[in-house]
Amino acid sequence: MADMRAFRDAVTDWAAGGPGGPAGELAVRSGVRTAVLVEGPSDGAAVETLAARHGRDLSAEGVCVIPMGGAMNVGRYAGLLGPPGLGLRLAGLCDVGEQRFYDRGLDRAGAPRRGFFTCTADLEDELVRALGVARVEEIVRAEGDLPAWRTFVRQPAQHGRLPHQQMRRFLGTKKGRKIRYGHLLVEALDLDHVPAPLHGLLAHLRSDH
């Protein structure tokens, strides 16, 4: 696990212009075979939490989940980690509005699109729809965020939006909130009703193992 974290950090440094040697060495040492590219740490928390709920250890399977700091970085990461770089298998999640960046980036890297799954809006929207706003409100209450939620929905900008759209936006209004709820919402999921992109990604990772 420590080597996998070190590999993730080395890849982030490499993508920012640092040397690639450490990432290559750590890929061998940690036995990483698949890189799961996600836009941010909240998506990464959701993927890792769901895998754990299924009793899976992604690190032991040679899978490293890598937040890229935004969809526009996918070409850079795919080039470093995919066929032109370390030659790892690539998989991931993307938002429908950012799919064009993934398509272009994967094409440039010569990487297949098969392992990438698209969320209708984003992963938070998928999770809120799967759980229902009432259940998410229960989680928000348990976390002590209910007053902030009630203040948020009274804002003029939220008038006319559907409840699940309001909740999706609320989850992204405070630094760190999306990451925390990415874990909490997946913990609350009925495993028979996992959003299709998450279910597809986890099944794909198992088939590649």
Side-chain angles (χ1 to χ4, degrees):
M1 177 65 81
D3 278 349
M4 200 65 84
R5 284 196 296 267
F7 171 71
R8 183 186 296 120
D9 291 343
V11 169
T12 301
D13 182 62
W14 189 15
E25 293 167 8
L26 285 162
V28 174
R29 186 192 308 168
S30 61
V32 62
R33 295 183 297 277
T34 302
V36 179
L37 305 181
V38 295
E39 292 188 29
S42 62
D43 299 330
V47 172
E48 290 175 341
T49 300
L50 183 62
R53 287 197 63 198
H54 280 280
R56 294 176 60 182
D57 182 343
L58 293 183
S59 294
E61 295 178 21
V63 175
C64 187
V65 181
I66 301 178
M68 301 180 295
M72 288 184 290
N73 295 324
V74 66
R76 174 71 171 157
Y77 278 82
L80 297 178
L81 300 174
L86 297 184
L88 303 179
R89 291 190 294 262
L90 300 180
L93 293 171
C94 72
D95 302 344
V96 69
E98 315 293 353
Q99 188 167 338
R100 65 191 184 281
F101 297 117
Y102 279 71
D103 289 342
R104 287 200 297 266
L106 294 172
D107 284 346
R108 285 200 303 271
R113 186 72 172 76
R114 185 174 63 88
F116 287 81
F117 298 84
T118 303
C119 299
T120 299
D122 56 21
L123 187 54
E124 287 74 29
D125 180 74
E126 295 277 1
L127 292 171
V128 172
R129 285 177 180 273
L131 288 164
V133 173
R135 178 68 182 102
V136 179
E137 279 189 347
E138 291 176 4
I139 298 168
V140 167
R141 179 185 293 108
E143 290 296 300
D145 287 331
L146 192 60
W149 161 243
R150 288 175 172 167
T151 298
F152 177 79
V153 296
R154 288 196 296 268
Q155 295 175 0
Q158 301 309 313
H159 296 171
R161 286 191 173 133
L162 296 173
H164 80 272
Q165 294 171 329
Q166 294 172 335
M167 182 62 78
R168 170 198 169 213
R169 288 182 177 271
F170 171 73
L171 296 178
T173 56
K174 183 179 179 181
K175 184 176 176 61
R177 183 178 282 160
K178 283 178 71 171
I179 302 172
R180 180 160 52 100
Y181 280 96
H183 167 76
L184 291 168
L185 298 187
V186 171
E187 281 283 1
L189 280 175
D190 179 340
L191 291 181
D192 290 328
H193 296 90
V194 174
L198 266 180
H199 175 79
L201 175 61
L202 212 61
H204 174 78
L205 294 177
R206 186 182 295 281
S207 69
D208 263 8
H209 179 51

